[in-house]
Amino acid sequence: MNQYPPIAEHGMVGDLQTAALVSSGGTVDWWCTPRFDSPSLFASLLDSERGGHCRLAVELPDDGMSVRQLYLSDTAILVTRFMAPGGVGEVADFMPPVESPVATDRHTLIRLIRVVRGSLPFAFDCRPRFDYGRAPHTLNLPDDHRAVLRGPGTDLHVQTSGDIVLNADGDDVTARFTLSAGQIGAVVLTSTASGADAPPERSLDEAIGRLEHCRAYWLSWLRSCTYRGRWQDVVNRSAITLKLLTYAPTGAPVAAATMGLPEQIGGERNWDYRYTWIRDASLSVRALIDLGFKDEAYAFRRWLRDRIEAGGAASGDPLQIMYRVDGDPLLTEETLDHLGGYRGSRPVRAGNAAADQLQLDIYGEAADALIVGRDIGAIRGWKSLNGVLDWLCDNWDRPDEGIWETRGGRQNFTYSRLMTWVAFDRGIRAAVYSSRPAEIERWTRARNAVFRQIVERGWNDKRQAFVQHFDTDVLDASLLLMPRVGFVSAHDPDWLSTLDAMNEELVSDSLVYRYDPAASPDGLRGSEGTFNLCSFLYVEALARSGRIALARYAFDKMLTYANHVGLFAEEIGPSGEQLGNFPQAFTHLALVTAAMALDEELGREGADPRAADHLEHLHVTAHGLVTRPGSTS
């Protein structure tokens, strides 16, 4: 097994309550069960020796064999194809969707093996390491085709078909077998609570039938998608990815399927993203509705309303920035010192201490999610939002940690002020339109005060741009959202000047950095790559500002950084590699909104005819960076 395959060399499968990553070499090297945020069964992505893995692959020398991985079109069925001189075989990995809204401890990962030409030898190695590799397990082999690996709180059941005979290897289980053209085999992994009844014995035909059911499920789900634009395939893949990252029993999406994957190889920026951020999830609501997935959007709105009604954070604030998928606010951060980290990137963290941070922008995103268009939902939901906005009137003018969760001290972040303005603006509009009781005069005074503060203190005359916070001249890509939320017109001269400044300082060959940590210390060592979310926000901002040709160029360039199955991690490194937790929901959300914005602007009749010629005003430097004439790069 390749010790640490590139982060991008993975596809994801899931059942709407948990998810697993499968490398392009056929190894399951990440799976937490029974939930996204549960301790891991397989985590060799974070420690190739101690983490645990499940490998199913053709066992031949690499010379002369090539491997390809793909999704069956418009599904979450992942196929890894092995092509060798002696034959062609493939492994189809999938998890049957848990269609019940009730949380369950029983989850199944099915690995179907098929040889389509010749004859090929396969190797199967199942080596789980329970509780992030901290807990031992025992093995029970009732017969040649069944094994039970028992760990603390969780059992892993293995079933095989036909010629796939299981053997003990210490407390792990292995198999070596050969299949010829036309033969199909199956390995079924089922996680259960400790001591639960074993899964029923299933025939090979049943496993094949479950694949067909899984395929039908995803094709049926995608029929709700109303997007019919130029980038149908990539938008569909992003929609499926967002669905896979959503915990169906509560409607809460996680930020990513993984924890601990580094923003810089060997660095310390290694966070746990298996939780629900108010910001990320709230921003997804509009995109989901625009795509036609209203049930998912409304499910999250109910979850968000429940969080507000539950009584807020330990600090007394109405919300904290993130929660577990079931709404639990306790996300104690611990360091897993026994794990070596992805390619030596330590510390490996489980939990997230940023949950205790103050980030005032979440109230704007939450208000925008609870008031979609003119839909303010149930009366109970309005009462919840009303109380939040009353609290915000007394608390909006506070320094906080900001959207990027810096650990270098609180500041008066412009983006945080921007989103408090959004909170008041949306509340006022909804109260007036729906004739709901509210302190409208008080909210209006607060909204206007926020606006004046942003214009007077968030604007930097020297830079001719809106800046990261009131005491700096550093730029921040989060402000690319200013036109989308309606604070400023996309054609306003101050906004275009800000966009130009970002292009000169934060953009590298159409890829966008969040900010410059050297100029604005964030309390952490090391650097990071360009931020995929920001790169797609840049595309949207360019399109809305009339720079359509440049927007399309940047979008097409970003799509080349997707991995082989269309997935994105959090960042792109200096050599074009994907970095950070994977796949990241925020990135795929931003891809969807960028595609829809581009489609809309490209389809406008009477669009500025100069937009198509915008690239004539650009040139390409020796380093391949797109810049404006006269800029430095």
Side-chain angles (χ1 to χ4, degrees):
M1 185 183 79
N2 185 345
Q3 277 199 326
Y4 291 103
I7 292 171
E9 283 298 312
H10 292 86
M12 177 175 65
V13 296
D15 65 3
L16 312 181
Q17 295 191 17
T18 183
L21 297 187
V22 184
S23 77
S24 59
T27 298
V28 180
D29 52 21
W30 184 258
W31 186 21
C32 298
T33 185
R35 300 191 326 197
F36 296 106
D37 56 354
S38 298
S40 60
L41 279 180
F42 303 125
S44 58
L45 202 54
L46 295 179
D47 192 307
S48 61
E49 298 298 325
R50 302 179 186 88
H53 67 272
C54 177
R55 177 174 176 262
L56 179 56
V58 170
E59 192 169 48
L60 286 172
D62 291 339
D63 294 345
M65 184 172 72
S66 61
V67 182
R68 298 287 185 272
Q69 197 173 56
L70 65 148
Y71 279 112
L72 294 187
S73 181
D74 290 342
T75 76
I77 299 170
L78 187 69
V79 177
T80 306
R81 184 169 294 153
F82 301 88
M83 293 168 284
V88 176
E90 58 189 28
V91 176
D93 287 295
F94 67 98
M95 297 183 74
V98 180
E99 298 181 59
S100 168
V102 179
T104 177
D105 288 330
R106 189 174 295 259
H107 300 274
T108 301
L109 170 57
I110 298 178
R111 316 197 72 183
L112 278 178
I113 314 104
R114 181 172 72 116
V115 172
V116 298
R117 187 178 303 130
S119 180
L120 291 172
F122 286 84
F124 170 70
D125 297 290
C126 184
R127 305 182 185 279
R129 297 295 181 264
F130 293 79
D131 190 24
Y132 305 116
R134 292 182 293 197
H137 65 274
T138 60
L139 172 66
N140 179 32
L141 275 171
D143 55 49
D144 288 347
H145 296 287
R146 290 183 299 156
V148 186
L149 300 101
R150 302 187 186 279
T154 302
D155 292 343
L156 179 64
H157 300 262
V158 181
Q159 296 183 29
T160 63
S161 68
D163 296 331
I164 307 176
V165 175
L166 296 173
N167 297 288
D169 183 2
D171 289 327
D172 300 323
V173 64
T174 66
R176 299 294 182 267
F177 58 96
T178 298
L179 297 180
S180 299
Q183 289 187 301
I184 301 175
V187 175
V188 181
L189 309 178
T190 303
S191 67
T192 68
S194 291
D197 293 340
E201 293 188 45
R202 297 186 183 275
S203 68
L204 178 60
D205 287 342
E206 285 181 285
I208 295 171
R210 296 181 86 182
L211 181 143
E212 291 303 319
H213 178 81
C214 181
R215 181 173 178 270
Y217 171 87
W218 287 107
L219 294 177
S220 175
W221 180 77
L222 265 183
R223 291 194 190 104
S224 298
C225 183
T226 56
Y227 178 82
R228 298 294 181 269
R230 295 165 176 81
W231 294 279
Q232 188 77 55
D233 288 344
V234 295
V235 168
N236 282 356
R237 179 54 51 202
S238 289
I240 290 172
T241 302
L242 291 170
K243 178 71 169 174
L244 283 171
L245 292 172
T246 300
Y247 186 65
T250 63
V254 295
T258 61
M259 54 175 258
L261 294 182
E263 297 174 15
Q264 180 185 31
I265 301 298
E268 66 171 336
R269 298 167 185 260
N270 319 312
W271 313 111
D272 191 344
Y273 276 15
R274 300 170 301 152
Y275 307 114
T276 301
W277 269 254
I278 296 294
R279 174 190 308 108
D280 303 34
S282 295
L283 287 172
S284 72
V285 168
R286 169 57 64 189
L288 288 169
I289 287 179
D290 287 345
L291 286 175
F293 299 114
K294 295 182 179 180
D295 289 345
E296 287 76 9
Y298 293 153
F300 171 71
R301 290 172 68 190
R302 289 193 294 272
W303 181 92
L304 177 58
R305 184 195 67 200
D306 290 344
R307 301 288 70 71
I308 297 172
E309 292 180 351
S315 63
D317 300 344
L319 288 170
Q320 66 181 43
I321 68 168
M322 71 180 93
Y323 298 83
R324 293 187 181 275
V325 291
D326 61 357
D328 187 344
L330 299 178
L331 285 80
T332 304
E333 184 174 294
E334 61 177 322
T335 298
L336 305 180
D337 291 325
H338 65 288
L339 295 179
Y342 179 82
R343 298 188 178 179
S345 303
R346 304 182 71 189
V348 176
R349 298 178 177 93
N352 201 310
D356 295 331
Q357 288 189 355
L358 175 67
Q359 297 176 21
L360 290 167
D361 69 279
I362 64 172
Y363 296 103
E365 287 113 2
D368 207 35
L370 291 170
I371 303 169
V372 180
R374 291 176 171 176
D375 175 17
I376 63 173
I379 292 175
R380 191 156 57 98
W382 174 253
K383 289 176 63 178
S384 300
L385 179 62
N386 205 323
V388 168
L389 292 178
D390 286 343
W391 175 88
L392 196 58
C393 283
D394 296 323
N395 289 275
W396 67 265
D397 193 13
R398 296 165 61 187
D400 66 357
E401 276 87 4
I403 179 176
W404 306 128
E405 298 174 4
T406 59
R407 300 192 179 191
R410 293 182 176 181
Q411 299 286 349
N412 291 299
F413 285 102
T414 306
Y415 180 78
S416 296
R417 294 293 191 273
L418 171 70
M419 297 312 294
T420 58
W421 177 89
V422 169
F424 292 126
D425 179 73
R426 302 306 190 262
I428 293 165
R429 291 169 183 255
V432 171
Y433 176 78
S434 301
S435 300
R436 294 292 171 88
E439 297 283 346
I440 293 179
E441 290 185 5
R442 187 181 181 212
W443 295 357
T444 301
R445 286 194 301 271
R447 181 195 63 183
N448 294 345
V450 176
F451 183 91
R452 286 191 295 268
Q453 192 179 89
I454 293 172
V455 171
E456 294 169 4
R457 300 185 63 192
W459 173 262
N460 185 282
D461 284 329
K462 178 183 176 182
R463 301 302 305 272
Q464 287 293 292
F466 291 101
V467 292
Q468 185 181 64
H469 61 77
F470 296 167
D471 298 315
T472 188
D473 62 0
V474 172
L475 302 176
D476 192 311
S478 65
L479 298 178
L480 287 164
L481 282 166
M482 292 182 89
R484 185 204 287 185
V485 301
F487 183 85
V488 64
S489 163
H491 298 275
D492 186 286
D494 287 348
W495 168 246
L496 295 177
S497 177
T498 300
L499 191 56
D500 287 340
M502 289 186 185
N503 184 59
E504 292 180 10
E505 182 171 302
L506 299 181
V507 180
S508 172
D509 194 24
S510 301
L511 303 178
V512 182
Y513 291 94
R514 296 189 291 180
Y515 57 92
D516 180 0
S520 179
D522 56 14
L524 297 166
R525 296 187 302 273
S527 61
E528 60 182 26
T530 56
F531 211 70
N532 293 331
L533 161 70
C534 299
S535 297
F536 284 119
L537 293 181
Y538 178 61
V539 169
E540 181 181 359
L542 289 171
R544 297 302 189 194
S545 299
R547 302 176 180 184
I548 300 172
L550 181 55
R552 186 163 190 173
Y553 174 85
F555 189 67
D556 288 342
K557 180 68 74 72
M558 268 302 296
L559 294 184
T560 68
Y561 288 99
N563 81 343
H564 57 290
V565 291
L567 302 182
F568 284 92
E570 184 177 23
E571 299 183 5
I572 301 297
S575 301
E577 72 276 22
Q578 295 210 33
L579 295 172
N581 285 304
F582 177 89
Q584 199 205 32
F586 221 167
T587 298
H588 286 276
L589 161 66
L591 183 157
V592 168
T593 58
M596 290 192 291
L598 258 179
D599 275 314
E600 183 178 338
E601 297 300 328
L602 286 167
R604 284 186 190 276
E605 293 185 5
D608 185 350
R610 296 170 297 177
D613 298 326
H614 189 77
L615 283 178
E616 294 181 3
H617 301 291
L618 303 171
H619 72 282
V620 180
T621 73
H623 301 290
L625 307 184
V626 177
T627 63
R628 295 185 304 115
S631 69
T632 58
S633 57

